[in-house]
Amino acid sequence: MTTFENTTTNNYNYGHNASYCKFREEFKYILLPVSYALVFVVGLALNSTALFVIVFRTKRWKPSTIYMFNLTMCDTLYIFTLPFLVYYYADENDWPFSEALCKLIRFLFYANLYGSILFLCCISLHRFIGICYPMRSLNWVSARRAKLVSVAVWAIVLFCQAPILYFSRIRDQKTERVCYDTTSPELFDDFLVYSSIVSVLMFALPFMVVMVCYGLMVRKLLEPGWGSEGGPDGERGGLSAQRTKQKSVKMIIIVLGTFMLCFLPFHLTRSLYYSFRYLRQINPAQISCTLLEASSVAYKVTRPLASANSCLDPILYFLAGQDARSNLTKKGRASSSKTTSVSRRLTTKL
């Protein structure tokens, strides 16, 4: 069966049978470079700030801090690959670099995508245990266990995304060199099976876990007597139940927003496009070129949204994390106090 690839070629697909479709996709040569450049600038600034605060301004690393550090590292590694993609798509799919770099960049995209999903799931589970089982969380949740869970998450991500290093490859097509964002046409059927399994295990299941956790958290937070006998694990004695509720609500909004805006549209449109493409290969009369092109356009439009999670993740740390704001405030106060002290000494000497 002859397959075809339209996501990385300029206005046409390869194939010489009835499944051949001609696409016009010049829009992506503007959309993708501009969006990736914006994600690079904004994401680099936010993640660098988050890493600085976590590494240099956080004295006590709680489990949530450990998960946020790993999430930020995951985003930062991906952000450094974006300049290569900006150049590639601005040059209309002409890859000037090596095949090894093509494999690495595609690998880091999916590693960031699913690493972010799993670490957000860990953060959600951590907050869920603290809210719904505050006393038991004293034994269940610890920094040591958070480190072990983080190592396990990285191992799962690296293992599950390792096949990307095999599927991703480059190929010379006329006057350009393509760096496939999926795989070469002859391997697409195998890639479809692999991609479907990964989507279920590393997106659908974590998404369901997050939704269930947040549903139970909201129900718990709405109970009239919640917080009267002590807040959840990780909260200091001086924090009120109201502040804990606000912090939890902010986290719920940001994480659900990230899933709904970045992850869900990408996986839905990608699944539709892959399915339509596969069905057309089997029976061209079943899927029209118009429908296939529409699904391809939708998939490409949501790809920048998937990358935008690198900008939203640090916002989770700064808005939902009281410690982060406290560390930044302390830094500002310390600088102000130091300046005032120096000024007073100078005034005295003068």
Side-chain angles (χ1 to χ4, degrees), residues 67-314:
Y67 293 135
M68 279 305 310
F69 171 76
N70 283 277
L71 179 61
T72 305
M73 285 298 301
C74 189
D75 291 335
T76 304
L77 288 174
Y78 170 67
I79 285 172
F80 283 123
T81 69
L82 289 177
F84 298 97
L85 292 178
V86 170
Y87 182 90
Y88 173 58
Y89 289 112
D91 200 29
E92 300 188 357
N93 286 356
D94 191 6
W95 183 257
F97 311 107
S98 65
E99 185 174 52
L101 187 58
C102 170
K103 291 177 178 291
L104 178 63
I105 287 178
R106 300 305 186 188
F107 169 80
L108 287 176
F109 170 79
Y110 288 105
N112 162 259
L113 180 69
Y114 294 112
S116 297
I117 290 173
L118 293 183
F119 280 117
L120 286 174
C121 186
C122 291
I123 293 171
S124 302
L125 283 170
H126 169 71
R127 177 61 61 175
F128 163 75
I129 294 174
I131 293 294
C132 297
Y133 303 98
M135 300 306 296
R136 295 181 183 179
S137 66
L138 297 176
N139 297 322
W140 291 355
V141 178
S142 66
R144 180 177 178 275
R145 290 186 179 181
K147 292 177 182 178
L148 293 177
V149 171
S150 298
V151 171
V153 169
W154 279 109
I156 292 172
V157 170
L158 294 177
F159 175 78
C160 292
Q161 299 310 311
I164 293 293
L165 298 174
Y166 167 73
F167 284 116
S168 297
R169 52 192 63 197
I170 62 176
R171 175 171 294 178
D172 293 326
Q173 303 284 12
K174 293 190 175 181
T175 60
E176 59 193 20
R177 174 172 290 179
V178 173
C179 173
Y180 289 111
D181 69 301
T182 52
T183 188
S184 55
E186 61 273 11
L187 294 177
F188 177 75
D189 290 358
D190 295 333
F191 180 80
L192 177 61
V193 175
Y194 160 75
S195 177
S196 300
I197 295 174
V198 168
S199 295
V200 172
L201 295 179
M202 304 189 72
F203 168 69
L205 290 181
F207 186 38
M208 291 175 59
V209 170
V210 169
M211 293 296 291
V212 171
C213 287
Y214 286 166
L216 296 175
M217 283 173 59
V218 170
R219 187 177 69 176
K220 189 70 175 179
L221 291 171
L222 292 177
E223 292 181 0
W226 185 88
S228 60
E229 298 180 357
D233 177 60
E235 296 296 333
R236 296 181 182 273
L239 291 178
S240 65
Q242 183 62 29
R243 179 178 293 181
T244 302
K245 286 184 179 181
Q246 292 176 353
K247 184 176 180 179
S248 299
V249 169
K250 287 179 181 179
M251 190 199 72
I252 291 173
I253 293 174
I254 295 172
V255 173
L256 286 182
T258 302
F259 270 91
M260 295 298 182
L261 178 65
C262 300
F263 302 139
L264 186 60
F266 172 80
H267 283 88
L268 286 178
T269 56
R270 187 182 66 166
S271 297
L272 284 175
Y273 166 62
Y274 286 177
S275 299
F276 289 161
R277 176 176 164 182
Y278 176 75
L279 291 174
R280 182 166 178 82
Q281 291 174 175
I282 298 176
N283 184 7
Q286 188 176 5
I287 302 295
S288 66
C289 285
T290 302
L291 182 59
L292 184 61
E293 183 175 9
S295 65
S296 175
V297 170
Y299 165 58
K300 290 177 178 60
V301 169
T302 59
R303 277 164 60 185
L305 294 178
S307 298
N309 83 87
S310 300
C311 300
L312 296 181
D313 291 339

Side-chain angles (χ1 to χ4, degrees), residues 46-80:
L46 291 176
N47 283 280
S48 298
T49 304
L51 279 177
F52 176 81
V53 173
I54 293 173
V55 175
F56 296 104
R57 298 293 171 181
T58 304
K59 295 181 179 180
R60 179 172 173 265
W61 282 39
K62 299 186 296 185
S64 58
T65 309
I66 295 172
Y67 293 135
M68 279 305 310
F69 171 76
N70 283 277
L71 179 61
T72 305
M73 285 298 301
C74 189
D75 291 335
T76 304
L77 288 174
Y78 170 67
I79 285 172
F80 283 123

